[in-house]
Amino acid sequence: MENILVTGGAGFIGSHLCEALLKDDYTVYVIDNMSPYYSVELKQSNLNRLKSVATGRLTFIEADICDKERMESFFTDHSIDVVVHLAACAGVRPSIEDPLLYVDVNIQGTANILECMKKSGVAKMVFASSSSVYGDSSGGPLHESANVDKPISPYAATKKACELICHTYHHLYDMNIACLRFFTVYGPCQRPDLAIHKFTKLLYANKPLPFYGDGSMSRDYTYISDTVGGVLKALDWVCSSQKRFDIFNLGENHTISLSQMVETLEECSGRKAILNRLPQQPGDVNTTFADITKAKEVLGYNPGVDFKTGITKFIQWFEDDLHR
Ligand SMILES: NC(=O)c1ccc[n+]([C@@H]2O[C@H](COP(=O)([O-])OP(=O)(O)OC[C@H]3O[C@@H](n4cnc5c(N)ncnc54)[C@H](O)[C@@H]3O)[C@@H](O)[C@H]2O)c1
């Protein structure tokens, strides 16, 4: 495994992953269309960070994963060993506004990448799925074997569809594929549409935070270095000579309520939040809670960053970025 394609590599998770891969001496190809879903400057600064790590082992291609001709010629022109497919429309709420875009980019885009891989004989992939596939489940930690037939947002439905098509390509063409269900990832360079980043911006601007529901809504927040660690383990796993497909939760196995999240932001920033209390939003699940036994046992996944430590690092990055 030497040449790795990371789709969506200019984004939040992708840029951290590419940084780790470049530091490990891999040759990394990034395909990203620099979607304007959020600040293109943030994506550009992610790429600049990568360029400063790489010494000629990073190639960036600005292209759309749905562009069949460009993707085919990319795979024909480059000798790729393994693909980490992260490019997607990633927000839950916007998927309710524009479901067709999510179907096009997430489902057709994934099918397009798999088809190009098949044609060019690339047989290993790590796919970014999501905890949202579990729908509105409550109670204890969710195991990968739980029923995921009731997604409550178009975004979640597209991720489930992608897992299914990944399995189809594994079955028909012997591709080794790991589908990783990420649980709310946070850390430096986090997407600005995600609550921690959005709330922090408002906190520093002394503006009210949109506080949905009664504060009990909870998430299994995963620090970015733990997620990247899990993706690296999954890369080793798909590179085995045995035929493999599986789905893994990558979370921390620990939930934080919305109230606790705001309190931690207040504590780590030394600022007091003003809350704008609003009803819970359609499409939002009440709880996400990962059972990570399988990822630990099979992949050797070993997360370890507690929430307060992670938020402290995020706030440091946010303040540095503010003063830059
Ligand atoms: N961040 C999380 O908490 C989280 C949780 C669950 C799943 N995921 C999944 O992980 C992946 C990465 O998420 P992220 O938070 O880094 O998001 P991100 O938006 O920062 O990264 C996605 C990247 O994909 C690119 N992209 C979008 N459409 C594209 C297209 N048509 N062609 C090429 N590139 C395209 C974007 O420009 C962006 O840089 C996504 O698939 C997302 O659904 C993320």
Side-chain angles (χ1 to χ4, degrees):
M1 172 178 81
E2 283 174 0
N3 295 340
I4 303 187
L5 165 63
V6 180
T7 70
F12 166 45
I13 299 173
S15 62
H16 283 278
L17 172 69
C18 290
E19 199 174 334
L21 291 169
L22 290 167
K23 284 179 179 159
D24 274 354
D25 288 340
Y26 291 108
T27 298
V28 177
Y29 295 85
V30 166
I31 291 181
D32 198 300
N33 72 345
M34 305 299 269
S35 139
Y37 172 59
Y38 66 82
S39 157
V40 174
E41 289 86 66
L42 182 51
K43 294 177 187 180
Q44 194 56 58
S45 91
N46 289 340
L47 287 175
N48 293 342
R49 192 174 85 245
L50 295 183
K51 282 176 198 152
S52 71
V53 176
T55 43
R57 282 179 289 103
L58 172 71
T59 306
F60 170 61
I61 296 131
E62 184 167 344
D64 190 323
I65 54 163
C66 299
D67 184 335
K68 284 187 191 154
E69 276 177 28
R70 280 203 76 186
M71 290 306 108
E72 265 189 31
S73 64
F74 170 81
F75 278 93
T76 307
D77 295 347
H78 300 87
S79 167
I80 297 298
D81 298 305
V82 56
V83 177
V84 182
H85 178 39
L86 304 173
C89 287
V92 172
R93 288 176 200 159
S95 76
I96 300 171
E97 301 299 314
D98 196 353
L100 297 186
L101 174 71
Y102 279 67
V103 169
D104 285 350
V105 174
N106 296 3
I107 303 180
Q108 291 203 35
T110 299
N112 194 29
I113 295 290
L114 284 165
E115 195 55 18
C116 291
M117 288 172 62
K118 179 192 90 184
K119 285 182 185 160
S120 56
V122 181
K124 296 166 191 118
M125 181 196 250
V126 175
F127 169 70
S129 186
S130 162
S131 60
S132 63
V133 299
Y134 289 111
D136 213 359
S137 331
S138 54
L142 291 157
H143 190 265
E144 291 85 348
S145 59
N147 184 303
V148 289
D149 287 342
K150 291 181 178 150
I152 64 164
S153 67
Y155 168 71
T158 64
K159 287 292 180 181
K160 171 65 186 159
C162 289
E163 290 183 356
L164 295 174
I165 196 148
C166 281
H167 182 268
T168 309
Y169 274 71
H170 155 75
H171 175 78
L172 292 175
Y173 309 114
D174 282 353
M175 288 188 187
N176 278 6
I177 304 182
C179 295
L180 304 179
R181 292 179 178 164
F182 297 152
F183 281 67
T184 322
V185 189
Y186 73 103
C189 314
Q190 192 197 31
R191 275 182 14 228
D193 60 313
L194 290 174
I196 290 175
H197 195 159
K198 196 159 72 182
F199 281 18
T200 305
K201 261 192 183 152
L202 292 167
L203 195 59
Y204 278 74
N206 294 315
K207 289 187 177 160
L209 318 187
F211 190 86
Y212 297 107
D214 62 2
S216 63
M217 201 160 68
S218 62
R219 294 286 174 270
D220 193 333
Y221 291 104
T222 317
Y223 191 67
I224 183 67
S225 60
D226 286 336
T227 303
V228 168
V231 177
L232 296 176
K233 295 283 188 192
L235 274 169
D236 287 343
W237 186 81
V238 295
C239 285
S240 157
S241 53
Q242 290 165 22
K243 190 177 164 182
R244 291 176 157 179
F245 171 91
D246 218 331
I247 294 175
F248 300 97
N249 288 337
L250 292 190
E252 301 277 351
N253 186 235
H254 184 76
T255 59
I256 301 283
S257 70
L258 182 58
S259 299
Q260 287 172 316
M261 186 263 268
V262 172
E263 281 161 21
T264 312
L265 286 179
E266 287 182 321
E267 195 184 335
C268 296
S269 67
R271 288 166 177 261
K272 184 83 196 124
I274 310 160
L275 302 184
N276 177 20
R277 291 183 182 275
L278 298 164
Q280 195 162 326
Q281 296 286 289
D284 277 356
V285 301
N286 204 45
T287 306
T288 65
F289 191 4
D291 180 331
I292 53 173
T293 317
K294 184 168 157 187
K296 279 182 154 180
E297 284 178 5
V298 178
L299 300 178
Y301 172 60
N302 186 26
V305 181
D306 70 87
F307 192 59
K308 196 170 163 201
T309 307
I311 290 294
T312 305
K313 289 186 183 178
F314 173 76
I315 295 281
Q316 269 164 9
W317 167 80
F318 184 83
E319 290 195 346
D320 287 352
D321 209 49
L322 262 186
H323 300 129
R324 213 168 274 152

